Amino acid sequence: MTLVEPSIDETTRVYRKVTWRLVPFLFACYVAAYLDRVNVGFAKLQMLSDLQFSETVYGLGAGIFFLGYFLFEVPSNMILHKVGARIWIARVMLSWAVISAAMMFVTSPTWFYVLRFLLGLAEAGLFPGVILYLTYWYPSERRGGIIAMFMTGIPIAGLIGGPVSGWIMNAFAGTGGLAGWQWLFLIEALPSVVLGFCVLAYLDDGIQKAKWLSADEKALLAHNVAADGASVTAHRFRDGFTNGWVWLLCGIYFFFIMGLYGVGFWLPTLIKGAGVSDPLQIGLLTMLPYGAAAVAMITVGRLSDAARERRWHITVPGLVGVAGWLVSIRFSTDLVIAEAALTVATIGVLVTLAQFWCLPTAILAGAAAATGIAVINSVGNLAGFVSPYLIGWIIDTTKSTSLGVYTLAACLALGSLLALTVPKRLVNR
């Protein structure tokens, strides 16, 4: 069908329709995924003493997830590109739900390591797969806000997961002879099972298969995506491995992920260090950093799209987050100041992450996007292994969290400054 040039209002209406159809559902999937990935941070509050695990054992187990994630992420995204998002995302969600629930049976460091590794294998592909999937629907000029909306699943998982996890661990402790942390793994795996089956019924593989769009709406969307892709030179599968900018982005993302899992795995511990001992209270106090970060991610994403500027919308929030980490160290025993500083740090970490994904999706398209996005996410997520293990080792060695937090701040600063080395001509569109 020949596309009649649509009005701005018509284009806005169509994209709003697509967004309401796709983003809330994908967001819910990501919330479930992120809860299953990091609820070990809350389980840790009881699990370590029950099983006699050291901080180093915990750090290694928390991080080994990302070795499995690293190994299977690129193959997973290539399969998704071949077979479609609907079947593959459903497979991802159902398999990780089963493994996450099995964490309740951990009795030794070995089984802790094995199940965390398998969880990484199972979950590999969800996040880069969704980022790739969004490029099928949106041109680069609209992706800043859309990716930010999807990635608010991280802070919302923290916002919801904190108090819910604390409540589960308190309310179910001892029920059926199981500890609170065992019930935590079981109950928080259930949403992923439900959503996994919903994916099969709800998600479409692309524009042309969407029965809820008219022919004119499909033509408009397809035209915009094709026009956007025409300005990108990297389209082939191998371009995702050989493009030099991909490897720079891997390094930047590595530093950002160091900060992300500093928040995800250690925020409850840092709040506890400020003088709070009850798991439910700790959960409630994690709500403020995550809630503020969700608002900031959407706000900065919209500003970035409106200005069509990407690099400074990464660097400035990142450096603000560094300041938050540093203040949290200086006032680590003052609950009010420490909570405010950790909120600023969390905002900085999560805003930079959301805005980062505007860079590779502007540089890569088609098959190159399938491999390149997965390469960047898999290499970057090796920091998910390094970060918790390194911080755990530092805490065990120094008996203090300060040096570990300095490390997180340095990584966030490096990633933020390196973002400015990406040429603006490639990404500011």
Side-chain angles (χ1 to χ4, degrees), residues 13-35:
R13 183 195 66 78
V14 174
Y15 277 109
R16 185 181 293 117
K17 180 178 181 179
V18 172
T19 298
W20 276 109
R21 171 76 184 193
L22 297 181
V23 175
F25 181 73
L26 294 172
F27 163 86
C29 293
Y30 195 43
V31 169
Y34 203 77
L35 273 176

Side-chain angles (χ1 to χ4, degrees), residues 37 59-74 116-117 120-121 124 127-128 247 249-262 265-266 353 356-357 373-391 408 411:
R37 184 187 304 186
L60 178 58
I64 207 168
F65 167 97
F66 296 97
L67 295 183
Y69 199 82
F70 170 80
L71 290 173
F72 197 55
E73 192 156 5
V74 173
R116 287 291 296 177
F117 177 79
L121 282 179
F127 176 80
W247 295 101
L249 294 173
C250 285
I252 295 171
Y253 197 54
F254 182 93
F255 289 126
F256 287 163
I257 292 294
M258 287 288 290
L260 172 63
Y261 289 105
F265 290 127
W266 299 104
L353 276 174
F356 168 84
W357 283 106
I373 289 170
V375 167
I376 292 165
N377 199 52
S378 60
V379 173
N381 268 289
L382 286 177
F385 171 76
V386 174
S387 180
Y389 180 68
L390 177 62
I391 303 305
L408 298 176
C411 289

Side-chain angles (χ1 to χ4, degrees), residues 31 45 53 55 145 162 192 199 205 221 245 293 317 324 358 398 425:
V31 169
L45 300 174
F53 287 178
E55 293 283 355
S192 296
V199 167
D205 286 331
L221 294 168
W245 297 115
C358 295
T398 66
R425 62 180 171 79

Side-chain angles (χ1 to χ4, degrees), residues 271-310:
I271 292 174
K272 184 177 182 180
V276 183
S277 57
D278 181 71
L280 179 57
Q281 291 182 11
I282 292 172
L284 292 172
L285 286 171
T286 63
M287 293 177 68
L288 177 59
Y290 285 122
V295 174
M297 289 167 75
I298 293 173
T299 301
V300 175
R302 289 176 176 173
L303 292 172
S304 175
D305 279 349
R308 295 201 181 184
E309 197 290 321
R310 307 303 184 186

Side-chain angles (χ1 to χ4, degrees), residues 201-233:
Y202 187 83
L203 208 60
D204 299 293
D205 286 331
I207 294 169
Q208 299 306 323
K209 293 187 177 182
K211 296 179 181 179
W212 44 274
L213 290 172
S214 70
D216 286 342
E217 289 169 340
K218 290 179 182 179
L220 184 155
L221 294 168
H223 170 79
N224 289 348
V225 170
D228 182 65
S231 64
V232 178
T233 58

